[in-house]
Amino acid sequence: EILETDMMTFTPEAPYDAMVFCLFGRMREILRVGVPLGLNSALYSVGHILLQTLYNTQGSIFVAGCSVAGKLSALANIAITSFSNAASVFSGQNYGAGLTDRLRKGALRIPLACGGFTLACGLLLTLFGRPVLALFTRDAAVLAVAQRYVLVVLPFTWCYAVFNGIMSYLNGVGEIRYPTIVNVLILWAIRIPSAWLLAAVGLGGYAMAGISLSFVAGMVAMLPFYRTRRWKNICRQCEKNAAGAA
């Protein structure tokens, strides 16, 4: 039976205890995970306000076109959300149960499966998305901007799928710092500066290219984590969880 006091009582010693600990944990552990995620969300909100400010300077047609294209890209993001939720649950359960082999295998298989599925969706929507875009607007100028957005962003959405899959997988085992740092940097060091730079050189109509660039950078930054000492320590702790159950 899980009691309210379980939150403060003990550090995990057995796999089941580790799973309970992942759900409740000590207050220090809860804050260690929750505070960075909260700060990340806050910084992301401020960053998107800056991006929207830039988009607004390009005129109402540009804003409307990006809004219409965003509805199409949301279709590709459905798979990303589903796979990412599955990744965090899968990694957390296997980590708590001490199933190291499954933890290692899923570390790349789930994000790559998400990336592959999203790539197929992105290509289909890029090639045949105009009829869907036309459902939201009949304005030729708005449609032109929406198509440009789709051509620039959707073919790279699979990179975001891999990035987000790895980030969710690591969050599931309690690794918050590295994914949060990468997530903040790709927004504030890549997406926002590149978009404003394009606008400064007269290419504001392609400001959405900063999104694609940040997708690629995020994936490239996350993949090497599985070669780090921190990932090896996570796997060793998973083995200890298994030993505790023996």
Side-chain angles (χ1 to χ4, degrees):
E1 180 182 1
I2 300 174
L3 304 176
E4 182 179 356
T5 53
D6 287 341
M7 185 176 69
M8 300 290 290
T9 53
F10 56 84
T11 300
E13 296 178 355
Y16 172 78
D17 295 337
M19 295 173 69
V20 172
F21 182 75
C22 289
L23 290 173
F24 295 90
R26 295 181 180 178
M27 185 59 65
R28 182 183 64 184
E29 295 297 325
I30 293 174
L31 293 175
R32 183 181 67 83
V33 172
V35 170
L37 291 177
L39 289 175
N40 179 50
S41 298
L43 289 172
Y44 238 73
S45 297
V46 174
H48 281 288
I49 290 175
L50 292 178
L51 281 177
Q52 188 60 53
T53 300
L54 172 62
Y55 287 0
N56 291 344
T57 64
Q58 304 304 310
S60 58
I61 292 177
F62 182 84
V63 173
C66 290
S67 177
V68 169
K71 292 176 171 58
L72 191 63
S73 63
L75 295 176
N77 290 337
I78 293 174
I80 298 177
T81 301
S82 300
F83 273 98
S84 296
N85 290 338
S88 60
V89 173
F90 180 90
S91 63
Q93 288 183 341
N94 284 283
Y95 177 76
L99 301 177
T100 310
D101 187 56
R102 286 170 57 85
L103 183 70
R104 287 197 177 102
K105 289 180 179 179
L108 276 178
R109 287 183 180 179
I110 295 178
L112 291 180
C114 181
F117 188 86
T118 306
L119 175 61
C121 291
L123 291 178
L124 286 174
L125 292 173
T126 300
L127 295 173
F128 306 106
R130 183 178 175 83
V132 181
L133 294 173
L135 294 175
F136 299 99
T137 181
R138 298 294 180 87
D139 190 301
V142 173
L143 270 176
V145 174
Q147 281 191 294
R148 186 194 314 155
Y149 185 102
V150 168
L151 288 172
V152 171
V153 176
L154 277 188
F156 297 94
T157 304
W158 71 273
C159 298
Y160 172 72
V162 175
F163 157 74
N164 200 63
I166 296 175
M167 182 175 67
S168 299
Y169 201 87
L170 296 180
N171 287 345
V173 297
E175 176 55 42
I176 303 299
R177 183 172 58 182
Y178 185 86
T180 299
I181 291 173
V182 172
N183 206 21
V184 170
L185 286 179
I186 63 172
L187 175 65
W188 285 92
I190 297 177
R191 186 180 302 183
I192 295 175
S194 61
W196 282 89
L197 179 61
L198 287 169
V201 298
L203 296 173
Y206 288 87
M208 71 285 288
I211 298 175
S212 302
L213 185 59
S214 68
F215 287 171
V216 175
M219 181 185 70
V220 171
M222 291 301 294
L223 284 172
F225 181 84
Y226 293 129
R227 296 288 185 179
T228 64
R229 179 179 300 176
R230 176 57 183 159
W231 173 247
K232 294 177 182 177
N233 289 339
I234 290 173
C235 292
R236 277 196 288 267
Q237 181 59 48
C238 184
E239 292 171 354
K240 291 180 180 179
N241 293 341

